[in-house]
């Protein structure tokens, strides 16, 4: 199911879940971690609290816990500190064979190496996959050589502790394949802009075992005729087609006005024209939904935002939780400090 922002993709899914529940069919809605609470509220608000008898909202992590609980218990989990210790031991075991990382201060390197290997696992890259011709890569070959050796040693150590797969999603895929957990269910994936290879394997498993799989994508078309800003979504569609085979593309079909109100207000115009290739000038006069504010520093920007937030809460009677602030990662600590100074309660979805 594809469509631009506000076109009704999530509403389409909620309507379908509600109709399936009336027919006695079970559904599972899988969403990103940060969207789970909101999705649960939307599902209950749209379908009523009785929907929990036939539908539930899960994240990939929540899905793993549910499947593990129903198929013999969770695998042995390793905390971050345990991963660092395993990497420290792996480094000491193979340090003489390293070319680039030999003699480095492993205490500073451990965190980066563990993060790198976690990324490899998300994309199902094994130590054997990290191979290039020596002559074609220059110094990069030596670094990849070291990463492959460290990855193998690390997996051997962690594998002894866990007794098998060292990655949660890889173990989930194996359990799903064996248990057919998706069988008889309708599966919905909503809110994802892309999927790692490990997540795509779960989508593939759902396509093979469930009654039906529905995936939403934020794009204006399913072919190359759309705007370039949505190319990433069409790449995700190509990935889904690669693992699932034939895919039926359906437009959500709703009007933007359902979310943004009048299609000629500032927000609707900005969403529609910001990355448009039309090249025409847009008249925003008289449209106060979008404002551009210039400030002398990032701190002043945050203070202006804080003042505006307090104005919205005091004068417009808005709730704190109805306001979102998007900042680049490097400005997150500054924004947090300013909001604390002005007694603005906030939740940050990143660690710093």
């Amino acid at each position: 199911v594809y469509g631009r922002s506000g076109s009704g993709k999530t509403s389409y899914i909620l309507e379908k879940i509600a109709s399936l529940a009336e027919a006695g069919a079970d559904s599972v809605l899988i969403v990103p971690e940060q969207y789970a609470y909101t999705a649960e509220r939307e599902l209950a608000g749209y379908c009523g609290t009785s929907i929990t008898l036939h539908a539930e909202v899960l994240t990939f992590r929540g899905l793993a816990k549910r499947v593990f609980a129903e198929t013999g218990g969770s695998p042995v989990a390793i905390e971050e500190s345990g991963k660092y210790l395993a990497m420290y031991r792996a480094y000491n075991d193979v340090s003489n064979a390293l070319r680039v990382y030999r003699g480095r201060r492993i205490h500073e390197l451990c965190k980066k190496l563990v993060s790198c290997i976690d990324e490899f696992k998300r994309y199902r890259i094994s130590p054997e996959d990290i191979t290039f011709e020596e002559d074609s890569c220059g110094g990069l070959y030596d670094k990849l050589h070291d990463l492959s050796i460290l990855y193998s040693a690390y997996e051997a150590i962690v594998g002894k502790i866990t007794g098998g797969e060292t990655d949660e999603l890889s173990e989930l895929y194996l359990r799903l394949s064996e248990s057919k957990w998706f069988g008889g269910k309708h599966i919905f994936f909503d809110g994802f802009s892309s999927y790692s290879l490990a997540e795509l394997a779960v989508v593939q498993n759902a396509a093979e075992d469930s009654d039906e799989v529905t995936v939403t994508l934020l794009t204006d078309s399913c072919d190359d005729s759309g705007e370039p800003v949505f190319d990433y979504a069409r790449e995700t569609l190509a990935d889904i087609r690669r693992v699932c085979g034939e895919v039926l593309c359906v437009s959500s079909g709703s009007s933007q006005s359902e979310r943004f109100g009048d299609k000629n207000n500032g927000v609707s115009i900005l969403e529609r024209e910001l990355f448009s290739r039309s090249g025409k000038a847009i008249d925003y006069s008289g449209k106060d939904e979008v404002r551009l504010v210039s400030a002398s520093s990032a701190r002043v920007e945050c203070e202006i935002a804080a003042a505006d937030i307090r104005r919205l809460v005091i004068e417009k009677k808005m709730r704190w939780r109805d306001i979102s602030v998007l900042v680049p990662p490097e400005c997150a600590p500054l924004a947090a400090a300013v909001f604390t100074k002005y007694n603005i309660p906030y939740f940050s979805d990143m660690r710093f």
Side-chain angles (χ1 to χ4, degrees):
V1 179
Y2 69 93
R4 298 178 72 117
S5 181
S7 61
K9 298 182 294 297
T10 299
S11 296
Y12 177 95
I13 282 181
L14 296 178
E15 289 175 6
K16 195 163 186 178
I17 290 176
S19 64
L20 288 169
E22 290 179 0
D26 293 332
S27 303
V28 177
L29 173 58
I30 299 176
V31 298
E33 294 282 344
Q34 67 273 18
Y35 182 49
Y37 177 67
T38 302
E40 288 179 346
R41 290 183 57 195
E42 289 181 349
L43 181 64
Y46 191 92
C47 305
T49 55
S50 61
I51 192 64
T52 55
L53 297 173
H54 294 285
E56 61 181 328
V57 177
L58 294 173
T59 63
F60 277 108
R61 183 176 298 176
L63 174 64
K65 291 181 179 179
R66 172 63 60 82
V67 173
F68 294 160
E70 296 181 12
T71 57
S74 301
V76 177
I78 300 181
E79 301 287 343
E80 286 297 306
S81 57
K83 292 181 179 180
Y84 298 153
L85 290 172
M87 179 56 71
Y88 181 81
R89 179 177 172 183
Y91 179 88
N92 288 330
D93 289 345
V94 300
S95 59
N96 291 333
L98 302 179
R99 301 175 182 177
V100 176
Y101 296 119
R102 184 193 303 174
R104 296 289 184 90
R105 298 183 64 179
I106 185 59
H107 300 287
E108 300 174 0
L109 193 61
C110 260
K111 187 173 182 179
K112 293 181 179 179
L113 288 173
V114 169
S115 176
C116 182
I117 289 175
D118 285 345
E119 187 76 5
F120 286 153
K121 290 179 179 180
R122 279 193 288 272
Y123 289 91
R124 305 186 77 182
I125 298 174
S126 68
E128 294 75 22
D129 294 328
I130 311 174
T131 56
F132 287 89
E133 292 295 332
E134 184 169 3
D135 295 336
S136 65
C137 293
L140 178 61
Y141 174 83
D142 290 335
K143 183 172 288 188
L144 293 173
H145 167 271
D146 287 3
L147 286 174
S148 180
I149 291 177
L150 285 165
Y151 190 178
S152 296
Y154 173 83
E155 287 289 273
I157 293 170
V158 174
K160 291 179 180 178
I161 300 172
T162 61
E165 287 289 346
T166 59
D167 176 61
E168 187 175 61
L169 284 179
S170 297
E171 178 68 19
L172 172 61
Y173 175 74
L174 293 177
R175 298 278 189 97
L176 287 171
S177 300
E178 295 170 356
S179 65
K180 306 297 181 183
W181 190 85
F182 284 132
K185 299 181 178 70
H186 293 257
I187 311 301
F188 300 86
F189 294 88
D190 187 30
F192 294 95
S193 58
S194 63
Y195 298 86
S196 69
L197 288 181
E199 291 168 344
L200 277 173
V202 176
V203 176
Q204 179 184 9
N205 194 291
E208 292 172 348
D209 296 338
S210 69
D211 287 0
E212 186 182 46
V213 172
T214 302
V215 180
T216 64
L217 284 176
L218 177 62
T219 180
D220 58 349
S221 73
C222 289
D223 53 39
D224 295 334
S225 63
E227 296 180 10
V229 69
F230 297 114
D231 283 348
Y232 74 95
R234 288 187 281 271
E235 291 173 1
T236 300
L237 175 59
D239 290 336
I240 294 173
R241 281 176 167 153
R242 177 173 51 80
V243 300
C244 297
E246 184 178 353
V247 174
L248 174 64
C249 290
V250 179
S251 172
S252 52
S254 299
S255 170
Q256 280 184 326
S257 62
E258 288 184 8
R259 177 173 297 182
F260 295 134
D262 180 10
K263 66 179 181 179
N264 291 317
N265 72 21
V267 176
S268 294
I269 294 175
L270 184 65
E271 189 277 336
R272 190 169 63 247
E273 302 291 347
L274 181 60
F275 296 102
S276 172
R277 291 175 289 188
S278 65
K280 63 180 180 180
I282 306 298
D283 182 14
Y284 283 96
S285 59
K287 305 183 186 304
D288 59 359
E289 297 90 359
V290 178
R291 291 187 299 141
L292 181 62
V293 179
S294 178
S296 58
S297 67
R299 172 171 281 278
V300 176
E301 286 185 27
C302 291
E303 290 181 343
I304 292 173
D308 213 28
I309 290 171
R310 291 190 63 85
R311 179 185 63 80
L312 290 171
V313 171
I314 295 172
E315 297 180 5
K316 302 295 184 179
K317 307 302 180 182
M318 291 188 67
R319 296 177 295 181
W320 300 110
R321 69 181 186 186
D322 292 333
I323 302 172
S324 297
V325 181
L326 307 182
V327 297
E330 61 272 16
C331 292
L334 179 59
V338 171
F339 291 165
T340 301
K341 175 182 176 182
Y342 288 97
N343 296 319
I344 297 176
Y346 68 90
F347 164 77
S348 174
D349 68 349
M350 69 172 292
R351 298 177 181 177
F352 50 82

